[in-house]
Each structure stands twice: as structure tokens, then as C-alpha cells.
Amino acid sequence: MKIAFTGKGGSGKSTMAALFVQYLRTAGHRVLAVDADVNVHLAPLLGVTARAAGALSHPDNVRDVRTHLLGGNTRIAGVEHFVATTPPGPGSRLVGLDARDPLVARHATALDERTHVMHVGTYEAKDIGSGCYHGHLAILENLLSHLDPADDGWVVCDMVAGTDAFANTLHAQFDVIVVVAEPTPESVSVARRYRELAGAAGVADAVVIVGNKVADQMDLDYLRSALGVPPMAFLGLQAGLRRARQAGAPPRPEDLDDASALARIAEHAAGRSPSAGHREELLRTLHLRMAGKGWVRAAHGDVTAQLGPVPAGAAPGH
């Protein structure tokens, strides 16, 4: 199960993601937590120091991850021809969600034997004036698209804030996308826009809204009215959580007055049965769109050959 947390910056999405990781961890699930926010908040919230050399987007790590994923896939001319949308093919190596997998062993920090944390990285001084965080996220796209579908663990990703996920394939990579919304016009506008773009992108059914910092019934009514749909779950102001954070302690479900929102998210995700065929069609369409870009053709040649045969029942041109 792959679940992402996003929302307006400051909405509490990173804290919500950290709480959810700890909730799953306490319940005994295997969890791979991925910090994919440029601000790198999830890893520290889980007690992990996010060093630049350990970031997935570090050039040495990018090459290591792609070399491993490539395996014996002859549809890809070489590791240098990986693009963000490159799909797995015959001979590719798929990724598991614990330290038995070489990539997890090499690039994740273990909280315990069943819970591991990766981080994509952030801007470094050398990137000033010339870097783009979307480029950093390409290696995460590769990793997500090569996850073993038979693995029964959880991937929990703290995504970039706002609607940036629609600039790449991340919106199509997750089974559930939790948009965290505060009862403010700015936060609600991001959540509404996310739902609109999700509808246009064909992933509307993956998106749920979770309210945060809800002080009273008026806040909850405001969210329902302004969003046009009721939040699937919500958290209150959570003074106990704030005190724990002020003391420097990682957020934990036991800091909450009521952890039922975390249980509701888990139940919703576990009850979903996303269509693998629909996701494959979406990712295939996005790869063809990427393949048509001039800079991709100049740098990598024709990458359409990285796709396999058109799946039965797919629309023409997909």
C-alpha cells in the first residue's frame, strides 16, 4: 500500500505523516517512510538525521539505485537512459520494503527491523540559481514505479507541498493521497485545487481530505462547506502533541487526544482496491508525454521503446 501526505505548507502534513508511520509501526506493519519534501521534515520527525550524502538524489545514490533497478532489462539502453517515467520491464529488479532488499539496506535508516526511512534530499549550495527540485524527485519516481506489487508492506511518503505532484508522475504513483487541510481559506483553496487536478489527471478516487487543527464545530462546518465534501477524518488542536514537539520529542499517536483519525486513514487505505491496469495506463501515458519532450530526445534518444506492448483493452495511442 502506497500512501502520500500533502497539502498547503504549514498545514501539518509532515507531522500527520510521521504520526501515521508511528501508528503503522505500533500496529506491527512493515513500513518504508520516504521524506520527499524539499524542506526535509519527515525524517527528523522520525528521529533520523538527513545527511546530504545519504539523500536518494545524491548523484552517487541515483546511479546506484538505477543500476540496481535496471538489472537485465534490455528495453533500456543503459543506466544513463533512465528518465523519471522509465517503467520496469523484463529483467528489472523490483524493490521490497525491508532490509532484505539491497536498496533499502543501502539507502534507508532503520528505526527497527520493520520500519525504515529514506529521504530524497534538498537544495545544496551548489544548486543555487541552477537547481530544480523536480529533478531531485525523478529518482523517487523510479523507486515507486519499481516497487514489488506483491509486497504487503506500506510506503508512507511526505510529499512536496501544494500541487507540485502534478508536475511529474507522483500523483499517479499512490493508492491513497491524503490532502491535509486547515480551516483557513488558503489551506482549503489548495485542497480544492488538488481535487480538481486529480480529477483531470484521472486519480480523483485516490484523494481524501483530512482536517487538521480543527478547534471546534464551527471549524469543522467551515471545512465541510468550503471543501464541498466532509473531511474523511480530522484532528483537533492537540495541545499534548504541541507540548511534546516543544520538548523536542518525535510526534507519537499517544500524544494525541484522539488517534481515531489515524485509524480511519489506515482503514480507508486498507479497504481500497486500486486498478493496477488503470495505474499502468496512466504511467504509460505520462511516459509517452515525457518521451516527446525535446530535451529528453536530445539527452536520451527515443525512450518509447522502454514501454512494453500495449495492455489489452487500453485506448489507442496508449
Side-chain angles (χ1 to χ4, degrees):
M1 179 61 61
K2 295 184 287 186
I3 182 168
F5 288 79
T6 190
K8 181 184 176 296
S11 64
K13 68 181 184 62
S14 299
T15 301
M16 190 88 72
L19 287 166
F20 191 66
V21 169
Q22 298 289 16
Y23 174 85
L24 294 174
R25 185 183 180 192
T26 301
H29 295 285
R30 287 184 303 111
V31 185
L32 177 62
V34 183
D35 191 336
D37 191 349
V38 66
N39 295 308
V40 195
H41 285 154
L42 178 62
L45 285 168
L46 294 172
V48 173
T49 300
R51 296 184 173 88
L56 287 175
S57 62
H58 187 285
D60 292 343
N61 298 333
V62 168
R63 185 165 188 86
D64 180 67
V65 170
R66 286 177 171 169
T67 298
H68 179 83
L69 298 179
L70 175 63
N73 184 356
T74 56
R75 290 179 185 160
I76 305 173
V79 68
E80 65 276 9
H81 294 285
F82 257 85
V83 295
T85 55
T86 292
S92 294
R93 294 190 182 102
L94 301 181
V95 180
L97 298 182
D98 57 35
R100 291 173 295 182
D101 185 273
L103 291 187
V104 174
R106 291 199 293 270
H107 299 290
T109 299
L111 298 185
D112 56 52
E113 64 179 10
R114 298 174 68 82
T115 311
H116 295 78
V117 182
M118 291 177 167
H119 71 284
V120 172
T122 186
Y123 291 115
E124 303 299 333
K126 63 180 176 58
D127 299 320
I128 294 174
S130 62
C132 174
Y133 192 62
H134 292 149
H136 287 57
L137 290 168
I139 191 60
L140 174 60
E141 295 176 78
N142 294 151
L143 186 72
L144 291 172
S145 65
H146 285 71
L147 289 176
D148 185 349
D151 196 298
D152 62 355
W154 291 70
V155 176
V156 179
C157 184
D158 181 24
M159 285 217 285
V160 289
T163 57
D164 272 1
F166 293 96
N168 46 42
T169 68
L170 290 177
H171 64 277
Q173 296 274 16
F174 293 96
D175 302 305
V176 176
I177 300 173
V178 175
V179 180
V180 180
E182 300 174 81
T184 65
E186 296 79 14
S187 188
V188 164
S189 70
V190 170
R192 281 203 307 258
R193 183 60 177 155
Y194 205 101
R195 292 182 67 233
E196 291 168 3
L197 290 172
V203 295
D205 64 332
V207 176
V208 296
I209 309 293
V210 172
N212 194 26
K213 307 175 190 177
V214 176
D216 51 28
Q217 186 62 43
M218 288 183 68
D219 277 352
L220 189 56
D221 290 344
Y222 173 80
L223 284 174
R224 286 174 174 155
S225 174
L227 290 168
V229 294
M232 185 193 70
F234 68 93
L235 289 178
L237 293 178
Q238 305 301 332
L241 177 62
R242 188 178 297 109
R243 300 295 168 258
R245 296 296 301 122
Q246 290 169 349
R252 298 184 180 277
E254 51 264 37
D255 297 324
L256 300 177
D257 301 332
D258 180 0
S260 62
L262 304 179
R264 180 73 186 92
I265 295 169
E267 289 166 5
H268 173 80
R272 274 185 49 76
S273 300
S275 166
H278 178 60
R279 173 178 292 154
E280 183 178 347
E281 184 178 344
L282 287 175
L283 293 176
R284 186 180 185 91
T285 298
L286 292 169
H287 183 72
L288 290 173
R289 190 172 298 166
M290 174 72 79
K293 295 183 179 294
W295 70 265
V296 172
R297 293 196 300 270
H300 304 284
D302 182 7
V303 297
T304 59
Q306 295 178 359
L307 295 169
V310 177
H318 290 187

